[in-house]
Short mmCIF file of all heavy atoms in Angstrom, two decimals:
data_model
loop_
_atom_site.label_atom_id
_atom_site.label_comp_id
_atom_site.label_asym_id
_atom_site.label_seq_id
_atom_site.Cartn_x
_atom_site.Cartn_y
_atom_site.Cartn_z
N MET A 216 -96.07 55.53 -94.93
CA MET A 216 -97.06 56.54 -94.53
C MET A 216 -97.06 56.70 -93.01
O MET A 216 -97.01 55.73 -92.27
CB MET A 216 -98.47 56.12 -94.99
CG MET A 216 -99.55 57.13 -94.70
SD MET A 216 -101.14 56.61 -95.39
CE MET A 216 -102.15 57.97 -94.83
N ALA A 244 -93.48 72.72 -80.77
CA ALA A 244 -93.76 74.02 -81.39
C ALA A 244 -92.96 74.10 -82.69
O ALA A 244 -91.85 73.55 -82.79
CB ALA A 244 -93.38 75.15 -80.45
N GLN A 252 -85.25 68.38 -84.27
CA GLN A 252 -84.17 67.40 -84.28
C GLN A 252 -84.66 66.01 -83.92
O GLN A 252 -84.22 65.02 -84.50
CB GLN A 252 -83.09 67.84 -83.29
CG GLN A 252 -82.33 69.09 -83.71
CD GLN A 252 -81.38 69.58 -82.64
OE1 GLN A 252 -81.21 68.95 -81.60
NE2 GLN A 252 -80.75 70.74 -82.88
N PRO A 255 -87.74 63.15 -86.46
CA PRO A 255 -87.56 61.92 -87.26
C PRO A 255 -87.51 60.65 -86.41
O PRO A 255 -88.01 59.60 -86.81
CB PRO A 255 -86.23 62.16 -87.99
CG PRO A 255 -86.06 63.65 -87.99
CD PRO A 255 -86.65 64.12 -86.70
N GLN A 280 -102.88 74.50 -79.98
CA GLN A 280 -103.76 73.81 -79.03
C GLN A 280 -103.41 74.23 -77.61
O GLN A 280 -102.94 73.46 -76.78
CB GLN A 280 -103.63 72.28 -79.20
CG GLN A 280 -103.90 71.78 -80.60
CD GLN A 280 -105.28 72.15 -81.10
OE1 GLN A 280 -106.23 72.17 -80.32
NE2 GLN A 280 -105.39 72.43 -82.38
N ALA A 291 -92.30 73.49 -71.42
CA ALA A 291 -91.06 73.36 -72.18
C ALA A 291 -91.29 72.41 -73.34
O ALA A 291 -92.07 71.46 -73.24
CB ALA A 291 -89.94 72.86 -71.28
N MET A 296 -95.42 63.00 -73.31
CA MET A 296 -96.22 62.37 -72.27
C MET A 296 -96.75 61.05 -72.79
O MET A 296 -97.23 60.95 -73.91
CB MET A 296 -97.40 63.27 -71.87
CG MET A 296 -97.02 64.38 -70.93
SD MET A 296 -98.47 65.25 -70.27
CE MET A 296 -97.66 66.39 -69.14
N VAL A 304 -98.42 58.11 -67.33
CA VAL A 304 -97.53 57.17 -66.66
C VAL A 304 -96.06 57.55 -66.80
O VAL A 304 -95.21 57.03 -66.08
CB VAL A 304 -97.75 55.72 -67.17
CG1 VAL A 304 -99.13 55.23 -66.78
CG2 VAL A 304 -97.55 55.63 -68.67
N GLY A 338 -108.22 46.58 -64.71
CA GLY A 338 -107.68 46.23 -66.00
C GLY A 338 -107.97 47.26 -67.06
O GLY A 338 -108.07 48.45 -66.83
N ASP A 372 -127.32 48.97 -47.79
CA ASP A 372 -128.60 48.36 -48.12
C ASP A 372 -128.41 47.43 -49.31
O ASP A 372 -127.95 47.85 -50.38
CB ASP A 372 -129.60 49.47 -48.46
CG ASP A 372 -131.03 48.94 -48.61
OD1 ASP A 372 -131.20 47.77 -49.02
OD2 ASP A 372 -131.97 49.71 -48.33
N GLU A 383 -117.07 51.67 -60.43
CA GLU A 383 -117.38 51.43 -61.84
C GLU A 383 -116.91 52.59 -62.69
O GLU A 383 -116.94 53.75 -62.27
CB GLU A 383 -118.89 51.23 -62.01
CG GLU A 383 -119.40 49.90 -61.49
CD GLU A 383 -120.89 49.73 -61.72
OE1 GLU A 383 -121.53 50.68 -62.24
OE2 GLU A 383 -121.42 48.66 -61.38
N ALA A 392 -129.53 60.06 -67.07
CA ALA A 392 -130.96 60.33 -67.23
C ALA A 392 -131.33 61.72 -66.74
O ALA A 392 -132.45 62.16 -66.91
CB ALA A 392 -131.77 59.29 -66.46
N LYS A 406 -129.86 50.95 -60.31
CA LYS A 406 -129.46 51.29 -58.95
C LYS A 406 -127.94 51.17 -58.79
O LYS A 406 -127.44 50.43 -57.94
CB LYS A 406 -130.19 50.42 -57.93
CG LYS A 406 -131.67 50.72 -57.83
CD LYS A 406 -132.32 49.98 -56.68
CE LYS A 406 -133.80 50.38 -56.54
NZ LYS A 406 -134.47 49.69 -55.44
N ASP A 414 -128.83 53.17 -40.65
CA ASP A 414 -128.68 54.57 -40.27
C ASP A 414 -127.82 55.25 -41.33
O ASP A 414 -127.65 54.73 -42.44
CB ASP A 414 -128.06 54.71 -38.87
CG ASP A 414 -126.72 54.00 -38.72
OD1 ASP A 414 -126.02 53.85 -39.74
OD2 ASP A 414 -126.37 53.61 -37.60
N GLY A 441 -136.09 67.30 -54.43
CA GLY A 441 -137.52 67.46 -54.21
C GLY A 441 -138.20 66.27 -53.58
O GLY A 441 -139.43 66.14 -53.66
N GLU A 443 -138.59 64.42 -49.97
CA GLU A 443 -138.30 64.54 -48.54
C GLU A 443 -137.70 63.27 -47.96
O GLU A 443 -137.01 63.31 -46.94
CB GLU A 443 -139.58 64.91 -47.78
CG GLU A 443 -140.12 66.29 -48.12
CD GLU A 443 -141.36 66.63 -47.32
OE1 GLU A 443 -141.83 65.75 -46.56
OE2 GLU A 443 -141.87 67.76 -47.46
N GLU A 444 -137.99 62.12 -48.58
CA GLU A 444 -137.47 60.85 -48.08
C GLU A 444 -136.16 60.45 -48.75
O GLU A 444 -135.65 59.36 -48.51
CB GLU A 444 -138.51 59.75 -48.27
CG GLU A 444 -139.81 60.00 -47.52
CD GLU A 444 -140.80 58.86 -47.72
OE1 GLU A 444 -140.41 57.84 -48.32
OE2 GLU A 444 -141.95 58.99 -47.26
N GLN A 453 -114.30 60.42 -42.24
CA GLN A 453 -113.01 60.15 -41.63
C GLN A 453 -112.27 59.13 -42.47
O GLN A 453 -112.84 58.12 -42.90
CB GLN A 453 -113.19 59.64 -40.19
CG GLN A 453 -113.81 60.69 -39.28
CD GLN A 453 -113.99 60.24 -37.85
OE1 GLN A 453 -114.46 61.00 -37.02
NE2 GLN A 453 -113.64 58.99 -37.55
N HIS A 460 -107.66 45.73 -42.24
CA HIS A 460 -109.01 45.25 -42.53
C HIS A 460 -109.99 46.37 -42.26
O HIS A 460 -109.61 47.46 -41.77
CB HIS A 460 -109.36 44.02 -41.66
CG HIS A 460 -109.09 44.24 -40.20
ND1 HIS A 460 -109.87 45.07 -39.39
CD2 HIS A 460 -108.10 43.79 -39.38
CE1 HIS A 460 -109.40 45.09 -38.17
NE2 HIS A 460 -108.31 44.32 -38.13
N GLU A 466 -115.10 50.76 -33.18
CA GLU A 466 -113.63 50.82 -33.23
C GLU A 466 -113.18 52.12 -33.89
O GLU A 466 -112.23 52.76 -33.42
CB GLU A 466 -113.10 49.61 -34.02
CG GLU A 466 -111.59 49.54 -34.12
CD GLU A 466 -111.13 48.37 -34.98
OE1 GLU A 466 -111.99 47.70 -35.60
OE2 GLU A 466 -109.92 48.15 -35.04
N LYS A 486 -123.30 70.13 -61.17
CA LYS A 486 -123.50 69.41 -62.44
C LYS A 486 -123.21 67.92 -62.30
O LYS A 486 -123.91 67.09 -62.87
CB LYS A 486 -122.62 70.01 -63.54
CG LYS A 486 -123.02 71.42 -63.96
CD LYS A 486 -122.15 71.91 -65.09
CE LYS A 486 -122.58 73.30 -65.55
NZ LYS A 486 -121.72 73.82 -66.65
N GLU A 535 -97.29 42.60 -52.69
CA GLU A 535 -97.76 41.22 -52.67
C GLU A 535 -99.06 41.18 -51.90
O GLU A 535 -99.09 41.39 -50.69
CB GLU A 535 -96.71 40.31 -52.01
CG GLU A 535 -97.06 38.83 -52.13
CD GLU A 535 -95.94 37.96 -51.58
OE1 GLU A 535 -94.85 38.47 -51.30
OE2 GLU A 535 -96.18 36.74 -51.46
N VAL A 542 -100.69 48.92 -39.14
CA VAL A 542 -99.87 49.88 -38.43
C VAL A 542 -99.90 49.57 -36.93
O VAL A 542 -100.96 49.40 -36.36
CB VAL A 542 -100.36 51.32 -38.68
CG1 VAL A 542 -99.58 52.30 -37.81
CG2 VAL A 542 -100.24 51.67 -40.14
#
Side-chain angles (χ1 to χ4, degrees):
M216 184 175 178
Q252 292 173 5
Q280 304 302 324
M296 281 189 176
V304 294
D372 188 330
E383 287 181 357
K406 291 188 176 180
D414 56 26
E443 294 182 356
E444 298 182 7
Q453 295 181 180
H460 51 72
E466 181 183 7
K486 292 183 178 179
E535 188 174 350
V542 174

